[in-house]
Amino acid sequence: MILRLRRIWRDALTLLLALRDRRTPARARLAALAALVYALSPVDLLPEALPLLGVGDDLVVVPTVLALAARGLPPAVLADARARSAGLQQRLPWLLPSLALLFLAGVVGLGWALLRTLGG
């Protein structure tokens, strides 16, 4: 599980760094922007009100569009972004655990708020 999270983090950071590169084609930037807009948009293929299914479409559509964006990157841009990502991860090894703890705290807080709302 930890190894998978590290790979996801590495790939996400690599894509983010590659999108900032001037050599990145516009179609890759647009695909990444489309994934971000879809993830943040209240309009989805499946409404969020449907338990698990509402979030499920985000978990399928967003990574798929991001993978398409990554495929549109020139090899030189991807190699440079991977090298910068590796360097950043070595300089900031605390970043991924901190983000995981922040995410966990958010989930716990959301659950607590939901229980308080439903409980009375």
Side-chain angles (χ1 to χ4, degrees):
M1 177 71 167
I2 299 284
L3 185 59
R4 179 174 279 177
L5 283 176
R6 285 181 193 228
R7 263 190 257 139
I8 291 169
W9 169 248
R10 180 199 64 209
D11 292 346
L13 186 56
T14 298
L15 182 59
L16 179 66
L17 292 171
L19 291 174
R20 294 183 59 207
D21 193 309
R22 288 181 284 131
R23 300 172 292 170
T24 299
R27 68 181 182 279
R29 290 178 189 205
L30 288 174
L33 179 64
L36 178 65
V37 167
Y38 185 82
L40 299 176
S41 172
V43 178
D44 283 337
L45 293 175
L46 296 172
E48 300 297 327
L50 296 172
L52 297 178
L53 292 178
V55 177
D57 70 326
D58 291 342
L59 295 175
V60 172
V61 172
V62 173
T64 302
V65 175
L66 289 176
L68 290 174
R71 281 190 179 172
L73 296 173
V77 171
L78 192 56
D80 290 348
R82 281 188 179 143
R84 290 191 328 217
S85 173
L88 187 59
Q89 289 176 46
Q90 286 178 349
R91 285 191 308 257
L92 303 172
W94 50 267
L95 191 57
L96 181 58
S98 299
L99 290 174
L101 286 174
L102 186 63
F103 176 75
L104 183 62
V107 168
V108 168
L110 186 62
W112 178 77
L114 185 62
L115 285 175
R116 287 202 45 147
T117 302
L118 294 176

